[in-house]
Amino acid sequence: MKIDVIRKLPEHLDTIVVLHHENEPLPVLDFMPEELQTAIETFIKAEELSFEYGKINNFHHIGQKYNTRIILCGAGDPGQLSMDKLRRLFANCVRLASKLKTRSIYLFMGFLPSLNDVAFGHALSEAVLLAVYTFDKYLSEKKNGVIESLHYVLNNKNTRHINRGILEGRIYAETTMLARDLVNEPANVINPDTLAETAKKAALQYGFSIEIISMDKLKRIKMDAFLAVGRGSKYEPKLIIMRYLGNPDGKKETIGLIGKGLTYDSGGYCIKTPQGMVNMKNDMGGSAAVIGAMSAIATLRLKVNVIGIVAACENMISGEAYRPGDILRSMSGKTIEVINTDAEGRLTLIDAIHYAIERERVDRVLDIATLTGAAVAALGPQFSAVLTNNEAWLQQLRTASDFTGELIWEMPAHEEYKEMLKSEIADLKNVGGATAGCITAGLFIKEFVADKPWLHIDIAGTALKEKEAGIYSYGATGVGVRLLTSLLREME
Ligand code: BES
Ligand code: MG
Ligand code: ZN
């Protein structure tokens, strides 16, 4: 979809969107044809419209000169209009337009929100592109129409900053959609091989380097916890290593992004219920976030050094599969008693993290994973759970979260809980117990970060949406791509 800023209207206006707030009457809009301004004012009077936040009305105007669909959108109290609230408004208007089979949209603002031009442009293009995303490639009848263009009608000669924001928002949206596609594709399409292939394509397209490590070498370097999880599958595990060195000179630190890459999680011998299995194609949501973020970071040419790592495998059942009761020796040398084969994500992550620290020399570790049902139980689909050993870094993540609207909530990474991971016959067990599952999973991982600054993001609840709303369509959210990208911008 083309998104631009214009100062001159064409003869035919397909759909116009007017955004205004509730504190003042609608002003005369720059460039708005008189016929349409009158039609809008008449409609507002007749319907006693107040432009409350989130209220969207639409009508079809057929007049002397114009045959135009008009969408009126309420922004509420302009003092309360955050970037995320603005994004949601744009998204909902454009989704409506898309359902109405609009081809081109002309956006008029009744007021200017107190955002800078870059942020405004960013919010606009990101919201619009993400809102019209649908995963409908397997549907014979497509869900939405195709919007070809959105033109922001603005009486301002200097559009440099807005245009920069529009471009930025497009990068955020495109890489988020890449992640959404990866997660939405079912496990009969995305397996460790095809996940690695897709990462390769992204590396070529967006400009970062990539290395795929296969079975033989993984055995040689003793990533045995990771390998155990993948052993029941007909697909061999793959370690995907992505490198982007945007700040090569000096002693600049390297940040490791580790994404959980279970292309399917059946639970293994501790098999899930049918209902529990349906969405387990999304168990590589963390890896999609890392691949998306690598793509965004490289496109934006951020001055940071980032290594993205994904231990890709499939948790299945066969005569080869690992069992409850097995004792695994992780790459770090620490041994783990397997209590539950469904607590597999942490086993793959710790080997990937150890690899990142030992072999890639990362100075910081961020892991992102659809890790626990306990995170879903605690926070639902709204918030991702976060654990850390470094409050200053978490503060930067909070700033990123404020910018992108991907909500996070800190869980206590308190030593008290570590007790729960003690095993009688190994250094650790892979499950803490019936309670505090989100925390014990995080603390399990913390044992392998060698005291590096560490952020842990559990996206089990936030990776999927059951209902479309705002910038989210049904299915994968692409959570983490924008969050990680914004975090790295904070760290530039
Ligand atoms: N991939 C799941 C976590 C999950 C659950 C993600 C629901 C998305 C939605 C993870 O591998 C898992 O199975 N975790 C178990 C751990 C338990 C056995 C300690 C869980 O949360 O039930
Ligand atoms: Mg599992
Ligand atoms: Zn899992």
Side-chain angles (χ1 to χ4, degrees), residues 70-86:
I70 297 173
I71 297 175
L72 302 176
C73 178
D77 177 354
Q80 301 282 315
L81 195 61
S82 63
M83 183 143 168
D84 198 53
K85 278 176 129 179
L86 187 64

Side-chain angles (χ1 to χ4, degrees), residues 260 262 265 267 270 272 276 279-280 282-283 315 340-346 370-376 430-433 437 458-461 463:
K260 174 172 172 181
L262 265 288
D265 179 12
C270 304
K272 291 181 182 291
N279 282 333
M280 281 306 132
N282 90 343
D283 215 17
N315 189 17
N340 191 316
T341 59
D342 198 11
E344 83 299 336
R346 61 197 77 181
T370 48
L371 201 62
T372 64
V376 193
N430 78 329
V431 167
D458 192 333
I459 55 168

Side-chain angles (χ1 to χ4, degrees), residues 14-72:
D14 182 346
T15 296
I16 65 181
V17 170
V18 178
L19 191 79
H20 191 50
H21 64 77
E22 65 190 7
N23 291 354
E24 278 156 32
L26 186 72
V28 174
L29 298 161
D30 285 334
F31 304 116
M32 178 67 83
E34 215 180 299
E35 177 185 321
L36 295 176
Q37 179 92 26
T38 310
I40 292 168
E41 279 165 4
T42 312
F43 184 82
I44 290 173
K45 259 203 204 115
E47 302 288 320
E48 293 177 37
L49 270 193
S50 68
F51 288 102
E52 256 169 64
Y53 178 79
K55 238 197 197 155
I56 299 179
N57 282 276
N58 80 93
F59 66 99
H60 199 150
H61 166 85
I62 301 177
Q64 274 194 318
K65 187 155 177 247
Y66 290 96
N67 177 348
T68 299
R69 168 79 56 185
I70 297 173
I71 297 175
L72 302 176

